[in-house]
Amino acid sequence: MFDQSIITKLQQISGKDQVLTDKADLICYSYDATQKQYLPDVVVHPGSAEEISQIMKLASENKIPVFPRGAGTGFTGGSVPTAGGIVLGLTRLDKILDIDEENLVATIEPGVVTAEFQKTVEKVGLFYPPDPASLKVSTMGGNVAECAGGPRCVKYGVTKDYIIGLEIVTPTGDVIKTGGPTMKGVVGYDLTKLICGSEGTLAIITEIVVKLLPKPEAKKTMLVLFDSIDGAAQAVSAIIRGKIIPTTLEFLDARTLDCIRQATDLDVPAAARAVLLIEVDGDREFLDKQVAKVSSIVQPLGVVETRVADTPEQSEALWQMRRSISASLRQVNPDKFNEDICVPRSKVPDMIRKIESISDHYQIPIVNYGHAGDGNIHVNIMVDEKTPGDHEKAEKAVFEVFQGALELGGTMSGEHGVGIMKAPFLDMELKANTIDYMKTIKRALDPNNILNPGKIFPSDV
Amino acid sequence: MFDQSIITKLQQISGKDQVLTDKADLICYSYDATQKQYLPDVVVHPGSAEEISQIMKLASENKIPVFPRGAGTGFTGGSVPTAGGIVLGLTRLDKILDIDEENLVATIEPGVVTAEFQKTVEKVGLFYPPDPASLKVSTMGGNVAECAGGPRCVKYGVTKDYIIGLEIVTPTGDVIKTGGPTMKGVVGYDLTKLICGSEGTLAIITEIVVKLLPKPEAKKTMLVLFDSIDGAAQAVSAIIRGKIIPTTLEFLDARTLDCIRQATDLDVPAAARAVLLIEVDGDREFLDKQVAKVSSIVQPLGVVETRVADTPEQSEALWQMRRSISASLRQVNPDKFNEDICVPRSKVPDMIRKIESISDHYQIPIVNYGHAGDGNIHVNIMVDEKTPGDHEKAEKAVFEVFQGALELGGTMSGEHGVGIMKAPFLDMELKANTIDYMKTIKRALDPNNILNPGKIFPSDV
């Protein structure tokens, strides 16, 4: 039974309205995109770093686990309250505090929704590139905690590359500033980058200093259909070696195309066994030349068809194929295991072949698409949880997919993080002494292990 | 007296030839570019991570301080053996182990000289952008430890932005891999970025995985002379807002120009009170347009003269002004205090004015130049150490320069790090609890405080 006096103290800190204990309310904060469900004891929505500091001190003194939460869109359980305790909802801290147009730096609170932030800076001609699929819902705090990616990262880098300063609250309630608004800074350890991607296990993020870019003048989209995944992968390498770094270099594999053919009436020629969706951005007058150069680079590599958009509407039509994937997959099978391995770019075809053989072995559909420019593959293992044996087969397939990625010099996760979903597999990727090194940091910075416990590490730190 | 049995064990680990104890030899490893001198007890040049692991275990058991050292070109004393003990020279680990041309990733040892690395990758059409002034001598291990910068960082980012994996040896002798060759990876804490810029206080770097870019096709240089620093600073902002990120955006202030006029016969018109040296790179056919666009953007901002290079020889001639600075300064005064503050880009004129008033107050010449695109100013306080009072005045000026940078939202160091030189000022920039947080990490990862002790932190950790 959760101590009523803690509830009372939380109410004193953040106000009665901001403390939820009704089961109906708690359920809303019990899951994320993994659909794993754990009920918290209480949900608090603090209104300031100072309140969060008080809450962390209270939690620390009473050794109560605290689970920070943005919009709960994560794919690895990073925000689910696996040990009860307090869910710390950060959505009230949703202000864009400053946009410094002169220095291309914004200061924001963690609850700002990613897409809202992007729109706001674009209104003044600026640009925040990272674009995780969840961006219309996800919050910047969550994006920072997980180091979110997205299609544009091949050219522009991931969330971490844009975060130059933070205000954080430590597990013991200290409010600490890291980094700052300058483009360079080497005074002391880079705590900013340590917190980015630490999945809410080291600190609560209460303020974010973001580096922005000038918004590119224009973009141009093309879709190239290939007769093999090897051709598409060679095209990726050839484009980059041709000194063009496209904004996006998305690929769809043969089995994804089969699903789309089955589920939609989009025009996918039978000869097409892989697709690259390529977008370039920059100066308007230069884009046509870039598109022409990309076309001529890829042409010898088994191109079935090249489609180039001349208008935003045509661009949207080309994106349709990429956007239709999720709905198409659902028609194949209702449930999916969604992984996001990353391999060296040139190894994508080898990885796809490994996955195809895993799929064949277990007789479950696995379709792959993702960010070819980064080697970041979204592996979708399609199952019907109501079919006996499907779940177990998928679990074995996941294990073999990870194994395959690691054999190719890759990683289990390019974007989603570890959370609770990949924690059991952590020692497949990291040697025991690397895990120990990370745990040493966790123990030093969260001595009571109250902040998002049970995440990343497979056993207690 | 240093224990002879330790010497013997070091000889057993790395071979007799690799262990130096003669005073004449030790002196060579007693200083860096700061000219602060501390004699080590012994210098070892290990030949492998395995040897380093054994050395660290030996040092750990006997609580002997260890000072890792590359080429000793640092400006803050990061490699000087302030507490005697062992200097660990890493220059034997100088192999480029692999250049993966397909995936644009290189794996190298820490002793590789930066310029050699750049030349080697450029031979196969690739590009490693960071370009600290010391690059012909400095090693990549040192560059990573200090997170080196350089003129090209305004477009391409700093050393850290290119380091995606490391092999490190911990103070207790564990050999640990961090990161890897993939473009994305979010499994566990980002230890790679924690070690980058940690100034050799957390681990010995034994292998570096470097992300490369395709080498830009061409570059074009222009030099713009302005009638005020404000015009030059406005030009920097206007260029970037004009969606052009030049490769370099170097500035020289009025007092630097005065020195150059005095010391050289370079053509510096009297009306010029600031200079921007601007370089753009990319597709050859696009560069002329970029130069024209830059010219038209800056024209209304008090331009005295614009010089554009059409040939590599002309480009070299334009760089002459920037390259003549060091020799010119030396003619003004023999000794200098060399700082590298960084402020938000738009604050450069305010900072220059603050520095001018500090210079006037103490009656010592201070000349400023550096990376205007980053707001990173190299502040040169010119003194003659033989003139009584000069040294003390310079020390006061340094303090006020730091104070001024911090008041403008800046940092004490954009590139050089803290080392021993800025450690006494650390609490001017970082709050006590931020310093404590960093020390907590240091204590956890180096429990005996044997690795580069006395660096960064002003007092014992």
Side-chain angles (χ1 to χ4, degrees):
Chain A
M1 190 57 202
F2 200 69
D3 190 340
Q4 181 57 42
S5 75
I6 300 291
I7 308 279
T8 308
K9 281 180 188 149
L10 290 172
Q11 288 170 337
Q12 284 161 359
I13 294 169
S14 289
K16 273 200 170 176
D17 291 355
Q18 306 303 340
V19 180
L20 309 174
T21 52
D22 279 3
K23 188 159 179 197
D25 289 329
L26 298 183
I27 287 171
C28 300
Y29 299 88
S30 64
Y31 57 84
D32 68 357
T34 57
Q35 303 294 334
K36 302 276 172 188
Q37 202 173 5
Y38 297 85
L39 219 57
D41 290 301
V42 55
V43 175
V44 196
H45 285 104
S48 69
E50 176 46 36
E51 287 179 22
I52 294 170
S53 166
Q54 290 180 47
I55 294 168
M56 291 315 298
K57 281 175 189 161
L58 178 69
S60 230
E61 281 158 17
N62 295 278
K63 302 215 175 10
I64 301 165
V66 176
F67 297 90
R69 182 182 181 91
T73 56
F75 271 121
T76 53
S79 61
V80 298
T82 42
I86 300 169
V87 161
L88 199 70
L90 294 160
T91 44
R92 278 178 70 207
L93 300 176
D94 63 350
K95 279 178 283 305
I96 295 176
L97 300 169
D98 181 53
I99 298 175
D100 179 346
E101 295 182 45
E102 201 68 34
N103 293 300
L104 280 61
V105 170
T107 306
I108 64 176
E109 292 185 327
V112 173
V113 171
T114 312
E116 288 304 313
F117 177 57
Q118 287 180 334
K119 273 187 231 159
T120 306
V121 302
E122 286 179 20
K123 272 185 206 149
V124 294
L126 300 177
F127 184 46
Y128 174 70
D131 54 346
S134 56
L135 60 83
K136 286 182 185 163
V137 182
S138 69
T139 61
M140 286 294 295
N143 284 193
V144 174
E146 301 289 330
C147 189
R152 293 199 293 227
C153 296
V154 58
K155 176 166 180 176
Y156 289 107
V158 295
T159 300
K160 179 175 308 193
D161 298 314
Y162 293 87
I163 308 307
I164 56 175
L166 292 171
E167 181 190 75
I168 56 173
V169 180
T170 70
T172 46
D174 262 328
V175 182
I176 284 179
K177 296 262 188 188
T178 76
T182 57
M183 288 303 111
K184 290 173 174 171
V186 288
V187 171
Y189 301 149
D190 192 339
L191 301 177
T192 307
K193 303 276 193 262
L194 177 65
I195 301 302
C196 286
S198 68
E199 305 191 17
T201 64
L202 296 181
I204 315 278
I205 297 164
T206 51
E207 212 172 282
I208 308 168
V209 186
V210 189
K211 182 173 86 170
L212 301 168
L213 294 178
K215 186 165 157 44
E217 193 175 86
K219 61 183 176 184
K220 191 134 186 156
T221 312
M222 61 194 294
L223 186 113
V224 187
L225 301 112
F226 292 86
D227 63 10
S228 75
I229 188 74
D230 296 86
Q234 284 163 26
V236 169
S237 293
I239 292 165
I240 292 173
R241 288 305 301 261
K243 305 187 192 302
I244 297 173
I245 311 274
T247 319
T248 64
L249 253 175
E250 295 288 290
F251 85 100
L252 287 66
D253 79 347
R255 295 184 182 197
T256 304
L257 295 179
D258 289 339
C259 284
I260 293 172
R261 284 191 196 93
Q262 207 178 316
T264 74
D265 55 4
L266 291 172
D267 174 21
V268 188
R273 306 303 295 153
V275 160
L276 285 184
L277 179 69
I278 305 168
E279 212 159 73
V280 288
D281 66 5
D283 281 36
R284 201 177 304 276
E285 52 172 333
F286 200 51
L287 292 179
D288 285 338
K289 282 184 187 165
Q290 285 213 314
V291 166
K293 196 171 167 189
V294 169
S295 291
S296 79
I297 288 172
V298 305
Q299 199 53 46
L301 301 169
V303 169
V304 173
E305 194 185 328
T306 298
R307 300 173 189 169
V308 179
D310 284 318
T311 64
E313 294 70 33
Q314 288 176 0
S315 167
E316 194 47 41
L318 295 185
W319 271 93
Q320 249 335 94
M321 202 181 289
R322 172 72 171 83
R323 298 217 168 100
S324 71
I325 297 174
S326 286
S328 300
L329 301 193
R330 225 167 289 131
Q331 294 200 21
V332 175
N333 260 325
D335 306 303
K336 66 175 175 180
F337 283 57
N338 169 5
E339 303 300 342
D340 73 315
I341 56 164
C342 189
V343 294
R345 191 189 289 142
S346 68
K347 303 290 189 192
V348 168
D350 292 342
M351 190 66 222
I352 297 295
R353 269 187 288 273
K354 275 181 192 259
I355 295 172
E356 283 174 352
S357 95
I358 295 165
S359 167
D360 293 346
H361 177 76
Y362 290 108
Q363 288 289 303
I364 39 173
I366 308 184
V367 303
N368 307 289
Y369 60 93
H371 318 308
D374 300 320
N376 189 187
I377 307 174
H378 289 292
V379 179
N380 292 270
I381 302 171
M382 308 308 298
V383 295
D384 187 340
E385 293 279 6
K386 292 191 292 294
T387 303
D390 253 27
H391 187 91
E392 292 68 26
K393 285 198 285 186
E395 283 192 332
K396 284 181 189 158
V398 166
F399 178 82
E400 291 183 24
V401 166
F402 288 163
Q403 211 165 33
L406 296 171
E407 281 164 9
L408 293 171
T411 170
M412 296 191 298
S413 181
E415 298 183 327
H416 298 170
V418 177
I420 50 174
M421 300 302 283
K422 291 173 189 166
F425 306 104
L426 194 69
D427 62 357
M428 287 175 67
E429 177 158 342
L430 302 181
K431 291 205 177 130
N433 65 1
T434 306
I435 297 174
D436 281 345
Y437 198 82
M438 291 179 183
K439 283 184 175 179
T440 303
I441 294 172
K442 166 73 171 165
R443 271 194 304 268
L445 299 180
D446 181 12
N448 297 315
N449 192 25
I450 58 163
L451 191 54
N452 223 355
K455 308 298 168 71
I456 302 183
F457 304 109
S459 57
D460 236 8
V461 294
Chain B
M1 190 56 203
F2 199 68
D3 191 339
Q4 181 57 42
S5 73
I6 301 290
I7 309 280
T8 308
K9 280 179 188 148
L10 290 172
Q11 288 171 338
Q12 284 160 0
I13 294 169
S14 291
K16 273 199 169 176
D17 290 355
Q18 306 303 338
V19 180
L20 309 175
T21 52
D22 279 3
K23 189 160 179 197
D25 289 329
L26 298 182
I27 287 171
C28 301
Y29 299 89
S30 65
Y31 57 86
D32 68 357
T34 57
Q35 303 294 333
K36 301 276 173 190
Q37 203 174 5
Y38 296 86
L39 219 57
D41 291 300
V42 54
V43 175
V44 197
H45 284 104
S48 69
E50 175 48 34
E51 288 180 22
I52 294 171
S53 166
Q54 290 180 44
I55 294 167
M56 291 315 298
K57 281 176 187 159
L58 177 69
S60 230
E61 282 157 17
N62 295 278
K63 302 216 178 6
I64 301 164
V66 176
F67 297 90
R69 182 183 181 91
T73 55
F75 271 122
T76 53
S79 61
V80 298
T82 43
I86 301 169
V87 161
L88 199 70
L90 294 159
T91 44
R92 277 179 71 206
L93 300 176
D94 63 351
K95 279 178 282 304
I96 295 176
L97 301 169
D98 181 54
I99 298 175
D100 179 346
E101 296 183 45
E102 200 67 35
N103 292 300
L104 280 60
V105 169
T107 306
I108 63 176
E109 292 184 327
V112 173
V113 171
T114 312
E116 288 303 313
F117 177 57
Q118 288 180 334
K119 273 186 232 160
T120 306
V121 302
E122 286 179 21
K123 273 185 205 149
V124 293
L126 299 177
F127 185 45
Y128 174 70
D131 54 346
S134 56
L135 59 83
K136 285 181 186 164
V137 183
S138 68
T139 61
M140 286 294 294
N143 284 193
V144 174
E146 300 289 329
C147 189
R152 292 198 294 227
C153 296
V154 57
K155 175 166 180 176
Y156 289 108
V158 295
T159 300
K160 180 176 306 194
D161 297 315
Y162 293 86
I163 309 306
I164 57 176
L166 292 172
E167 181 189 76
I168 56 172
V169 180
T170 70
T172 46
D174 262 327
V175 182
I176 284 178
K177 296 263 187 188
T178 76
T182 58
M183 287 304 111
K184 290 174 174 171
V186 287
V187 171
Y189 301 149
D190 192 339
L191 301 177
T192 307
K193 303 275 194 259
L194 177 64
I195 301 302
C196 286
S198 67
E199 305 191 17
T201 64
L202 296 181
I204 315 279
I205 297 164
T206 51
E207 212 173 283
I208 307 168
V209 186
V210 189
K211 182 173 87 171
L212 301 168
L213 294 178
K215 185 165 159 42
E217 192 175 86
K219 61 184 175 182
K220 192 135 186 155
T221 312
M222 61 194 295
L223 185 113
V224 188
L225 301 112
F226 292 85
D227 63 10
S228 76
I229 188 75
D230 297 87
Q234 285 164 26
V236 169
S237 293
I239 292 165
I240 292 173
R241 288 306 300 262
K243 304 186 192 302
I244 297 173
I245 312 274
T247 319
T248 63
L249 253 175
E250 295 287 290
F251 86 101
L252 286 65
D253 79 347
R255 296 186 182 196
T256 304
L257 295 179
D258 289 340
C259 284
I260 293 173
R261 284 191 195 93
Q262 207 177 314
T264 74
D265 55 3
L266 291 171
D267 173 21
V268 188
R273 305 303 295 154
V275 160
L276 285 184
L277 179 68
I278 306 168
E279 212 159 72
V280 290
D281 67 4
D283 280 37
R284 201 177 303 277
E285 53 172 330
F286 199 50
L287 292 180
D288 284 339
K289 282 184 188 166
Q290 286 214 314
V291 166
K293 197 170 167 189
V294 168
S295 292
S296 79
I297 288 172
V298 304
Q299 199 52 47
L301 301 168
V303 170
V304 174
E305 194 185 328
T306 298
R307 300 174 189 169
V308 179
D310 283 318
T311 64
E313 294 70 32
Q314 288 176 2
S315 165
E316 194 47 40
L318 296 186
W319 272 93
Q320 250 333 96
M321 202 180 289
R322 171 74 171 81
R323 298 218 167 100
S324 71
I325 297 174
S326 286
S328 300
L329 301 194
R330 225 167 289 132
Q331 294 201 21
V332 175
N333 259 327
D335 305 304
K336 65 175 177 181
F337 283 58
N338 169 5
E339 303 299 342
D340 73 315
I341 55 164
C342 188
V343 294
R345 192 187 290 140
S346 68
K347 303 291 188 191
V348 168
D350 291 342
M351 190 65 222
I352 298 294
R353 268 187 289 273
K354 275 181 193 258
I355 295 172
E356 283 174 350
S357 96
I358 295 166
S359 166
D360 293 346
H361 177 75
Y362 289 107
Q363 289 288 303
I364 38 174
I366 309 185
V367 302
N368 307 289
Y369 59 93
H371 318 307
D374 301 319
N376 189 187
I377 307 173
H378 289 290
V379 179
N380 294 270
I381 303 171
M382 308 307 299
V383 295
D384 186 340
E385 293 279 7
K386 292 191 290 296
T387 304
D390 253 28
H391 187 91
E392 292 67 27
K393 284 198 284 184
E395 283 192 332
K396 285 181 188 159
V398 166
F399 178 83
E400 290 183 25
V401 166
F402 289 163
Q403 211 167 32
L406 296 171
E407 281 164 10
L408 293 171
T411 170
M412 296 191 298
S413 182
E415 299 183 326
H416 298 170
V418 177
I420 51 174
M421 299 304 283
K422 291 174 189 168
F425 307 103
L426 194 69
D427 61 357
M428 287 175 66
E429 176 158 341
L430 302 180
K431 290 204 179 132
N433 65 2
T434 306
I435 298 173
D436 281 345
Y437 198 82
M438 291 179 182
K439 283 185 176 177
T440 303
I441 294 172
K442 167 73 172 166
R443 270 195 305 268
L445 300 180
D446 181 12
N448 296 316
N449 193 24
I450 59 163
L451 192 55
N452 223 354
K455 308 299 168 70
I456 302 183
F457 305 109
S459 57
D460 235 11
V461 295

